[in-house]
Structure formats: structure tokens, C-alpha cells
């Protein structure tokens, strides 16, 4: 799609008045960097019912759009696909950009995309609300420009939608996500500070025209995909890991850029499927619910000859989705093994929920196990990673919900962040495998 470069030019011109260009210093840190993660709703005191509504609102519309985006598995990006136009279940990585005083950013950690960007210099431009001031390039002494001839300012470099502001030779970008969120602005570079460790000359988008699904808690997105622009790629690290607390907690947990601490003894690993896309494809082969291995052929999870389908793990998607046939089989298995009435799906945003009497503590209801069978590993999900207990449904009852969506007839399988709660997940980029272990994430 063509961009209106005259408008982009104007933005970059205004933005770069007063910015000094500083020659980047070279240094690489071999040690593991650590940054804090929070759930986007952390500390906001939502009840489980409110969380459920936030997770599931408008799922139908979302599913329809997601179906379109999965046609070509190589184009960005599976983000914001919990099925909610206004909010999403997201985990934010916190660090600072710029010197001498690092300016705070809070970016959605997204293994489904590559670009790192934060809202920037938003005077008279379209930005969403964020909880602290937007990044001010003119307040940083180490800000640097990225010229139009830089290799990153190309489709191969990771920016299919690039441009150049002729008068000041700055790389312009537009980046669109599967949920139709979009950011436009200028690629710049600066020092990032992770818990007091400064890493110079990292490239990111200074987003001056940003719209779509964003909450008022974040300032942008940090791409952790396989492409050259992502944070792991730019840091040239051989592995990274994260551990997501449950969405009902407000504790912080870590992301490790480099070799993680405390993986624990119960780690398992499974190879990533080689792919030229920036997504992380997993060899999912089957699913067990309770005592039942679902009667499915492993090919329902595999990448098809045209590149569609397949199974990815995506930290930027909230709720896991399966192709309709898998979803249906999974629902049937839960319904046949849980001896409670099924709640009306129109009240639960398309999720399978069971009605429980309010007097009973829903947590006391036993729920069948859920196990994802991967090549070489069985991912036995903790209860809180697929069940949400809603103590009060507003109608005098309580609900027990299985937090999994349908991806539609031909959708791909996406393992979302709800299913990754309380699991330490390592992306070993060198050995091209995923290592995971159960964890209390706030204790790492
Ligand atoms: C900002 O983004 C919106 C949505 O993509 C687009 O319609 C609009 O033209 C953009 N504005 C500028 C000034 O580029
Ligand atoms: C990236 O790291 C690998 C080893 O992990 C090293 O061989 C390579 O030279 C590094 N590349 C850059 C650009 O630093």
C-alpha cells in the first residue's frame, strides 16, 4: 500500500528540529539483561467478571478479522487477538530509552511481530492515551537518526512499508498489525536501559500516528519475533525468556534477555519448526482433555502447503485459538467430563462456561486436565492457565470458564498468553527450540 509521504515528511521535519545526531558508541553486553513485566490490568482491581468481559468482548468481529490475517502466515502479525476491540490481555515490558535520564516506556511484549516502537513527540498528531509522558527525543543526548539508505529501511530489513523524508534523509515507516492497529513515524536509535544496564544504538519506531487496540497503560509494542528489527535480534542474544503472572495478580515478573535464571528441574523442550516467517511455530501434535486424547489428526495443527495454518506461540495474543474442528472436539470433551450445566454462550463472549451455584467455591470444582502434546514434550497446563473462575456472574450465580477460542474454520492455532501464565518460557534461538517449566513467575 502506498503511503502519503508528504504527510510523513512533515511529521519527521517537525520531530527532528532540535535533535542532535550523536555517533553511536559500540558495546555489547554479554550478561543477561533483566526487565520487569506486568499484566496490563495489573493494579486496576478488576473483578474476574470484568476481566472475563475484557477478555471476550466482541469476539465474533475479531475472529472474522483474524481469519483474514492468517491467509498469509508470513505477513505480520498475530497481536491483539483475544477478541476484543478495546482491550486485550497483554503483558508489558518496562525499560527506559534515552540519556542521561532514561524515559520510561511500557511496551506490549509481542513474539508475533518484530518492530519496537513507542509513542513519540505527539504534539498535534494521533496518539492514544498513555500513563506517563510520551518519549521526547529532544530530551535525550544519545538520540540518533537512521538514514533512508540504512539496510533496515527496506522490506528485507523488516519494514515492508517504508519511506524516506527527502529533505532530512530519515527512514519513515508504517507498521500494521493483524488486529488493524497501526503505527506510523520515524525510525530512530537510542540507548535502552534495562535495570541500570545501558545498551546503546538500538533502533525503534518513534510513533507519531498510532491507532487501534491500545489500552491506556502502554506506550507501544516491543517486537520479539525472529525478524532483524526485533529486540532479541538487535541485541544478538542466543535466547530470551519470560514468565507471565496470572492476570488476576498485580505482581511483577521478569523477562530475561540472555540466559535465564531459575529454570527449575521440570523443564521440557520442543523444537521450533523452521520457518522463514518471524513467528515461532511449534510442533503441536495432539491435545488431551482429562482422560481423553482428542480424536484429531496431527495435520490439523500443521502448516499447510500454501503456508496457512500451523501453530504458533504468541505472547501478544491473549486467548489461545484453535481451528473450529479442534475447538469443537475440545468443548465436547469438557462438556462430557464436567458435571455442571453449560452457561449460555451469548453471555460469555463465545467461551465455554459452566454455571456453578454461587454458594459453592468454583475453585473447588474439579476440572479435567488440559495437556498440549508437542514433539518431545507434554505441556500440562496449570488450572489457572485455562480456567477462569468468575465468582459472581451478576445474576446470582458463578461461572467456571474454559478460556479458549475458536479460530474459525481455516484459522491457525495460536497459543496465547492466557495459556502461558505461570510457565517460564525460554526461546532458545541458537538451538531453535522452546524450553518451558512450571513457575511461580513473581518469585523468579
Ligand atoms: C494516521 O493514521 C490513520 C490511520 O491509519 C490514517 O488514516 C491517517 O491518514 C494518518 N495520518 C497521517 C497524518 O499520516
Ligand atoms: C552475534 O552473536 C554471535 C554468537 O552468539 C556472533 O558469532 C556474532 O558475531 C554476533 N554478531 C554481531 C553482529 O554481534
Amino acid at each position: 500500500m502506498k503511503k502519503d509521504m508528504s504527510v510523513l515528511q512533515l511529521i519527521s521535519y517537525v520531530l527532528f528540529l532540535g535533535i542532535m545526531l550523536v555517533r553511536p558508541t559500540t558495546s555489547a553486553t554479554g550478561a543477561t539483561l533483566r526487565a520487569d513485566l506486568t499484566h496490563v490490568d495489573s493494579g486496576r482491581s478488576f473483578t474476574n467478571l470484568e476481566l472475563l468481559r475484557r477478555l471476550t468482548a466482541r469476539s465474533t468481529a475479531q475472529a472474522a478479522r483474524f481469519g483474514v490475517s492468517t491467509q498469509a502466515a508470513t505477513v505480520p502479525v498475530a497481536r491483539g487477538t483475544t477478541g476484543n476491540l478495546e482491550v486485550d490481555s497483554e503483558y508489558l515490558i518496562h525499560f527506559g530509552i534515552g540519556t542521561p535520564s532514561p524515559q520510561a516506556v511500557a511496551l506490549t511484549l509481542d513474539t508475533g511481530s518484530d518492530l519496537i516502537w513507542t509513542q513519540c513527540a505527539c504534539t498535534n498528531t494521533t496518539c492514544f492515551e498513555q500513563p506517563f509522558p510520551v518519549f521526547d527525543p529532544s530530551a535525550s543526548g544519545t538520540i540518533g537518526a537512521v538514514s533512508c539508505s540504512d539496510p533496515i529501511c527496506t522490506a528485507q530489513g523488516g519494514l515492508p512499508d517504508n519511506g524516506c523524508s527527502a529533505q532530512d534523509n530519515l527512514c519513515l515507516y508504517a507498521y500494521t498489525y493483524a488486529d488493524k492497529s497501526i503505527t506510523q513515524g520515524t525510525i530512530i536509535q537510542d540507548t535502552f536501559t534495562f535495570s541500570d544496564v545501558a545498551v546503546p544504538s538500538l533502533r525503534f519506531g518513534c510513533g507519531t500516528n498510532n491507532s487501534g487496540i491500545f489500552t491506556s497503560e502502554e506506550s507501544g509494542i516491543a517486537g520479539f519475533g525472529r525478524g532483524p528489527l526485533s529486540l532479541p535480534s538487535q541485541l544478538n542474544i542466543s535466547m530470551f525468556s519470560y514468565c507471565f503472572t496470572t492476570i488476576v495478580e498485580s505482581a511483577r515478573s521478569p523477562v530475561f534477555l540472555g540466559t535465564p535464571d531459575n529454570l527449575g528441574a521440570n523443564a521440557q523442550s520442543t523444537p521450533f519448526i523452521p520457518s522463514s516467517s518471524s513467528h515461532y511455530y511449534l510442533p503441536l501434535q495432539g491435545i488431551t482433555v482429562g482422560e481423553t486424547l482428542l480424536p484429531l489428526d496431527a495435520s490439523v495443527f500443521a502448516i499447510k502447503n500454501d503456508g496457512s495454518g500451523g501453530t504458533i506461540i504468541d505472547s501478544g495474543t491473549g486467548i489461545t485459538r484453535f481451528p473450529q474442528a479442534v475447538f469443537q472436539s475440545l468443548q465436547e470433551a469438557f462438556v462430557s467430563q464436567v458435571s455442571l450445566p453449560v452457561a449460555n454462550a451469548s453471555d460469555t463472549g463465545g467461551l465455554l462456561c459452566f454455571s456453578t451455584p454461587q454458594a459453592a467455591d468454583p475453585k473447588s470444582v474439579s476440572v479435567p486436565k488440559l495437556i498440549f502434546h508437542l514433539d518431545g514434550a507434554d505441556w500440562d497446563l496449570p488450572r489457572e492457565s485455562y480456567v477462569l473462575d468468575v465468582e459472581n456472574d451478576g445474576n446470582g450465580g458463578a461461572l467456571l470458564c474454559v478460556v479458549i477460542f475458536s479460530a474459525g474454520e481455516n484459522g491457525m492455532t495460536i497459543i496465547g498468553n492466557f495459556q502461558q501464565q505461570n510457565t517460564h518460557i525460554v526461546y532458545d534461538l541458537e538451538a531453535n527450540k522452546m524450553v518451558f517449566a512450571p513457575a511461580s513467575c513473581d518469585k523468579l
Side-chain angles (χ1 to χ4, degrees):
M1 213 171 50
K2 281 252 177 291
K3 287 280 147 313
D4 182 349
M5 286 312 163
S6 58
V7 177
L8 284 174
Q9 267 173 29
L10 177 67
I11 292 171
S12 74
Y13 177 72
V14 172
L15 174 62
F16 274 84
L17 284 175
I19 295 181
M20 285 190 317
L21 303 188
V22 173
R23 197 140 50 96
T25 53
T26 47
S27 111
T29 155
T32 294
L33 304 168
R34 182 184 166 120
D36 276 340
L37 281 173
T38 54
H39 185 259
V40 73
D41 290 336
S42 164
R44 298 170 82 198
S45 307
F46 291 113
T47 64
N48 282 14
L49 180 62
E50 287 164 332
L51 287 169
L52 178 74
R53 297 221 165 110
R54 292 168 67 77
L55 282 169
T56 60
R58 307 185 67 174
S59 60
T60 319
Q62 188 70 27
R65 285 203 310 288
F66 195 71
V68 172
S69 73
T70 53
Q71 298 301 311
T74 52
V75 226
V77 180
R79 176 195 168 263
T81 47
T82 56
N84 193 321
L85 286 176
E86 292 147 35
V87 258
D88 196 354
S89 181
E90 294 169 352
Y91 290 87
L92 307 179
I93 176 171
H94 299 261
F95 59 93
I97 303 182
T99 58
S101 304
Q103 300 174 46
V105 298
L107 310 180
T108 300
L109 193 167
D110 186 15
T111 58
S113 66
D114 293 321
L115 181 67
I116 308 161
W117 64 273
T118 194
Q119 300 202 102
C120 207
C122 286
T123 328
N124 299 325
T125 57
T126 310
C127 286
F128 49 87
E129 212 184 296
Q130 64 172 67
F132 43 78
V134 298
F135 182 70
D136 176 6
S138 67
S140 174
T142 39
I143 197 91
V146 172
S147 79
C148 305
S149 57
D150 192 287
I152 81 157
C153 203
T154 59
Q156 298 91 315
L159 294 173
D161 230 342
N162 60 69
C164 181
S165 67
Q167 86 242 60
D168 40 16
N169 187 30
L170 297 171
C171 175
L172 308 179
Y173 76 92
Y175 206 79
T176 312
Y177 296 85
D179 65 10
K180 302 282 194 277
S181 296
I182 179 163
T183 172
Q184 285 180 325
T186 311
I187 301 291
I188 56 179
Q189 65 180 29
D190 206 340
T191 299
F192 288 11
T193 301
F194 305 94
S195 321
D196 297 335
V197 180
V199 184
S201 311
L202 294 175
R203 272 84 183 278
F204 64 102
C206 168
T208 48
N209 184 21
N210 318 305
S211 52
I213 304 180
F214 298 102
T215 71
S216 55
E217 302 303 302
E218 65 201 305
S219 65
I221 298 175
F224 271 64
R226 292 175 179 278
L229 287 177
S230 75
L231 188 57
S233 299
Q234 291 197 57
L235 292 172
N236 193 30
I237 47 181
S238 58
M239 61 178 82
F240 68 88
S241 74
Y242 55 71
C243 195
F244 294 149
T245 56
T246 65
I247 69 169
V248 299
E249 292 174 85
S250 53
R252 294 197 160 225
S253 64
V255 49
F256 294 107
L257 300 158
T259 308
D261 289 343
N262 308 327
L263 192 52
N266 297 319
Q268 297 183 72
S269 78
T270 190
F272 287 124
I273 294 175
S275 158
S276 57
S277 116
S278 67
H279 294 150
Y280 298 97
Y281 281 93
L282 288 177
L284 181 61
Q285 297 169 337
I287 298 174
T288 289
V289 174
E291 299 306 313
T292 314
L293 176 63
L294 301 185
L296 297 164
D297 194 282
S299 64
V300 294
F301 302 111
I303 305 175
K304 302 195 173 43
N305 288 337
D306 65 0
S308 68
T311 300
I312 62 169
I313 180 160
D314 181 9
S315 66
T317 285
I319 301 176
T320 293
R321 310 168 161 259
F322 290 110
Q324 178 61 23
V326 177
F327 178 70
Q328 209 157 332
S329 172
L330 190 112
Q331 286 210 323
E332 286 165 10
F334 274 102
V335 169
S336 72
Q337 295 178 57
V338 174
S339 50
L340 289 170
V342 174
N344 188 337
S346 62
D347 297 337
T348 59
L351 294 182
L352 171 65
C353 295
F354 297 92
S355 300
T356 59
Q358 195 157 31
D361 177 2
K363 291 187 187 67
S364 69
V365 177
S366 90
V367 181
K369 275 185 161 311
L370 178 62
I371 303 171
F372 296 163
H373 301 289
L374 296 153
D375 182 6
D378 287 329
W379 187 348
D380 185 345
L381 279 79
R383 185 186 194 276
E384 67 274 16
S385 297
Y386 62 103
V387 172
L388 186 67
D389 298 300
V390 179
E391 290 84 358
N392 183 349
D393 68 1
N395 300 314
L399 295 172
L400 183 155
C401 297
V402 178
V403 184
I404 287 178
F405 268 143
S406 168
E409 231 35 80
N410 298 310
M412 74 195 304
T413 297
I414 302 176
I415 311 235
N417 60 46
F418 195 92
Q419 273 59 42
Q420 300 173 41
Q421 298 172 91
N422 277 341
T423 304
H424 191 174
I425 300 185
V426 183
Y427 293 68
D428 183 335
L429 306 173
E430 206 161 67
N432 203 38
K433 64 181 184 185
M434 180 178 93
V435 182
F436 62 99
S440 299
C441 294
D442 59 330
K443 308 263 161 41
L444 292 182

